[in-house]
Amino acid sequence: LGAWPAIPSCMLASTARAPLLSRSLLPCVLLPCVLLPRTSPGPVGMAQKTNPQDIQAALMKEYQAAVNAHRQNALDEALARYRAVLDIHEAIPAVHNNIAAILLAQGSASAAETSWRRAVELKPEYAEAHYNLAVLLSERAGDGEAELVLSEAEQHCSTALKHRADYVQAHHLMGNILMSKGKPDAATKSYALAEALATSLGVNNAASASDTDAILPTFLDGVRVGHVQQLQLEDGTTRAATTLAMEPLILKIESLLTSDECDELISLAAPRLKASLTMGNTTAATRTSSSVFLPASEAALLVTLQRRLAALAQLPLTLVLRSEDLQVVHYDTGSTFGMHHDSSTFQPRLLTGQPFR
């Protein structure tokens, strides 16, 4: 019956802190065709289809539609199509993997975890699914269960590396997990190995060519240092932008957030703050803040801020939607922000900036 068409086998990306859950798809992979059993159960519409070839054709039709919708970021349609595939044949690990990625993007972390666990149950050597589950678990580790959950995350990450020894992202994630477990020396070794492998294998998680093309054109004109201009938002309101530098162009935006919006962000972030992590030579870093990344799916305010930032920066909204989640950082009296690394040559950070206070 040949091979499956290319399917986006989703993997999450991790940063220097507790892993960042990136919603972007990595390059597609080819998966082998799954032969359906002659008595394969299916939805009501399949009841009249007794010919295995008819059932296979129906599955492939739904499968291709799911892939197309996923590539176009039509997540609701993709999710429905993937589930239709599973109605025909449930035991397809990559479909469970991709369903989990969509569920997570929609804010259903618990359902996503269930789908990833099913993927690795069906295919114990599925490195990408083990990696995704490790990212999710390491992000979930909270007060009272941190050690237990981080240990399970480490196990899944180790399993991913067992089956893919050159898995750059998994080595990087292992560094994050070890840092969270208070093992900076071991974390440094994992980061160094990830960097070395990325260099030797030519791995680079930078923006794709299409993303780069979208970033380069900018219509913002700083005019001159000290110039003040009004930038319009989608709702018709404006914000004052003062040019602080021309090369590179740096603008200071007045009243980006209202007082009520600041209070809401603080209330969302405060219960989930964790010690900020670094990467590379972790023992030399001096960063003693706490931080958390907030996915846009968790609150309407975060979606509003994405649209506001896209309008102010005059970037395509689709590009901002694919950027990392909003980071909230907290500094207590005596906290430091010294030399440290947040990225690497293979894991650059895009659309990241420091707010002025």
Side-chain angles (χ1 to χ4, degrees):
L1 294 176
W4 289 95
I7 182 173
S9 188
C10 304
M11 292 189 291
L12 307 179
S14 60
T15 63
R17 49 124 199 164
L20 164 67
L21 304 184
S22 169
R23 312 312 186 222
S24 301
L25 300 182
L26 295 187
C28 300
V29 297
L30 287 174
L31 298 176
C33 181
V34 174
L35 298 179
L36 299 179
R38 291 186 182 275
T39 58
S40 175
V44 175
M46 290 290 104
Q48 292 76 28
K49 295 183 183 294
T50 57
N51 187 329
Q53 291 185 344
D54 290 341
I55 298 175
Q56 187 78 23
L59 184 149
M60 294 300 292
K61 180 179 179 180
E62 290 292 350
Y63 175 81
Q64 187 63 67
V67 171
N68 292 340
H70 204 162
R71 287 174 173 161
Q72 296 167 13
N73 205 38
L75 299 187
D76 288 337
E77 179 185 354
L79 183 58
R81 297 286 191 175
Y82 282 135
R83 283 174 170 163
V85 172
L86 295 184
D87 283 341
I88 300 171
H89 186 56
E90 191 274 341
I92 307 177
V95 174
H96 286 283
N97 178 68
N98 287 7
I99 284 177
I102 293 174
L103 290 171
L104 186 63
Q106 295 177 334
S108 301
S110 178
E113 181 180 338
T114 299
S115 290
W116 270 315
R117 290 189 184 279
R118 179 57 176 154
V120 298
E121 177 186 5
L122 289 168
K123 186 179 179 182
E125 72 277 15
Y126 196 169
E128 290 79 10
H130 280 289
Y131 167 82
N132 286 339
L133 187 52
V135 173
L136 184 63
L137 290 171
S138 61
E139 181 76 5
R140 198 189 78 193
D143 292 340
E145 63 172 1
E147 185 174 351
L148 180 63
V149 176
L150 281 174
S151 293
E152 187 181 3
E154 185 177 4
Q155 290 173 4
H156 283 287
C157 194
S158 295
T159 301
L161 290 170
K162 174 183 176 182
H163 295 290
R164 278 187 58 187
D166 61 350
Y167 200 160
V168 175
Q169 293 87 348
H171 284 290
H172 176 81
L173 173 61
M174 185 62 79
N176 287 350
I177 294 172
L178 292 170
M179 278 296 295
S180 295
K181 296 184 74 172
K183 300 178 180 179
D185 292 337
T188 297
K189 293 179 181 178
S190 288
Y191 290 138
L193 181 54
E195 191 78 8
L197 283 171
T199 301
S200 63
L201 298 174
V203 176
N204 192 332
N205 286 345
S208 65
S210 59
D211 286 346
T212 303
D213 291 342
I215 293 173
L216 291 179
T218 175
F219 302 99
L220 282 175
D221 183 1
V223 184
R224 63 183 179 279
V225 174
H227 177 74
V228 180
Q229 58 184 301
Q230 298 295 321
L231 300 178
Q232 186 169 350
L233 304 181
E234 284 188 341
D235 61 3
T237 61
T238 60
R239 297 290 190 275
T242 303
T243 302
L244 301 183
M246 291 295 293
E247 292 186 5
L249 179 60
I250 301 176
L251 302 177
K252 177 182 178 181
I253 309 295
E254 300 289 348
S255 302
L256 176 64
L257 301 170
T258 67
S259 295
D260 288 343
E261 288 172 338
C262 288
D263 289 340
E264 182 175 349
L265 286 177
I266 291 171
S267 66
L268 287 170
R272 300 162 56 186
L273 290 170
K274 302 176 186 176
S276 299
L277 302 184
T278 60
M279 63 182 298
N281 185 3
T282 57
T283 57
T286 54
R287 183 185 187 189
T288 59
S289 63
S290 54
S291 58
V292 63
F293 282 74
L294 300 176
S297 60
E298 294 189 357
L301 173 59
L302 300 173
V303 176
T304 298
L305 293 181
Q306 286 181 323
R307 295 184 177 277
R308 186 179 301 169
L309 291 170
L312 290 173
Q314 297 184 10
L315 290 171
L317 178 59
T318 53
L319 183 63
V320 175
L321 293 177
R322 292 198 299 273
S323 67
E324 66 185 31
D325 299 330
L326 177 68
Q327 184 184 24
V328 179
V329 183
H330 174 69
Y331 289 91
D332 270 325
T333 302
S335 295
T336 60
F337 188 88
M339 186 284 298
H340 68 273
H341 295 280
D342 280 339
S343 62
S344 67
T345 54
F346 85 94
Q347 187 76 52
R349 297 179 69 184
L350 303 177
L351 303 180
T352 301
Q354 289 277 54
F356 285 91
R357 295 299 303 269

